[in-house]
């Protein structure tokens, strides 16, 4: 009887502690910052580099594209398209300049290069 009573007190004490403390969320500093994707409207101009296709790992194609900033303004960008072995290549759809692709992309700040003309 005494053992059952002490076990019941332990369970009740633990339940009271859980209710009083409440659920807490883990707080910590993320060591990485996942880039925020944005919807980008662009036209493909040229295929700059096409690696041999792998059937085991992710693949990539690098394009020069024209990003629409406004209706009358655009900017040339480097577009790196990552895809898995079972996904189609973007270049398979053809490089039709008048086709506007709407994709979700993020800006890679480590990839930016400054162009210099001498």
């Amino acid at each position: 009887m005494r053992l059952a009573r002490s076990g019941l007190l332990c369970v009740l004490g633990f339940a009271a502690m859980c209710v009083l403390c409440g659920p807490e969320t883990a707080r910590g500093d993320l060591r990485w910052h996942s880039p925020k994707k944005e919807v980008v409207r662009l036209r493909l101009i040229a295929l700059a580099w096409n690696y041999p296709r792998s059937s085991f790992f992710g693949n990539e194609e690098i394009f020069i594209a024209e990003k629409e900033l406004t209706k009358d303004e655009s900017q040339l960008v480097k577009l790196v398209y990552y895809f898995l072995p079972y996904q189609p290549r973007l270049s398979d759809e053809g490089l039709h300049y008048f086709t506007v692709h709407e994709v979700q992309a993020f800006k890679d700040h480590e990839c930016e290069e400054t162009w210099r003309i001498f």
Side-chain angles (χ1 to χ4, degrees):
M1 179 84 172
R2 188 172 190 177
L3 185 61
R5 188 178 210 185
S6 66
L8 181 62
L9 286 174
C10 286
V11 169
L12 288 175
F14 182 71
M17 186 173 58
C18 289
V19 169
L20 292 175
C21 293
E24 284 191 39
T25 56
R27 291 181 180 86
D29 295 329
L30 294 177
R31 296 178 189 230
W32 68 91
H33 298 286
S34 59
K36 183 178 178 184
K37 290 184 181 179
E38 60 182 74
V39 176
V40 180
R41 295 173 51 89
L42 48 85
R43 291 182 177 94
L44 299 178
I45 294 175
L47 178 64
W49 187 257
N50 188 3
Y51 293 101
R53 190 170 186 142
S54 169
S55 59
F56 296 105
F57 305 106
N59 300 287
E60 69 180 24
E61 291 180 318
I62 300 173
F63 294 92
I64 297 173
E66 182 181 36
K67 177 183 172 184
E68 270 188 8
L69 301 176
T70 63
K71 185 175 181 175
D72 299 326
E73 188 178 1
S74 62
Q75 176 184 17
L76 291 177
V77 294
K78 173 182 167 183
L79 175 71
V80 181
Y81 175 65
Y82 295 103
F83 59 98
L84 297 174
Y86 57 85
Q87 294 174 317
R89 293 178 182 257
L90 191 57
S91 60
D92 289 345
E93 293 191 21
L95 299 175
H96 305 290
Y97 175 74
F98 294 107
T99 304
V100 177
H101 298 274
E102 195 167 287
V103 296
Q104 285 190 345
F106 64 90
K107 188 174 187 176
D108 186 1
H109 295 286
E110 294 179 4
C111 188
E112 290 188 22
E113 297 178 14
T114 305
W115 291 85
R116 294 184 186 170
I117 299 176
F118 295 100

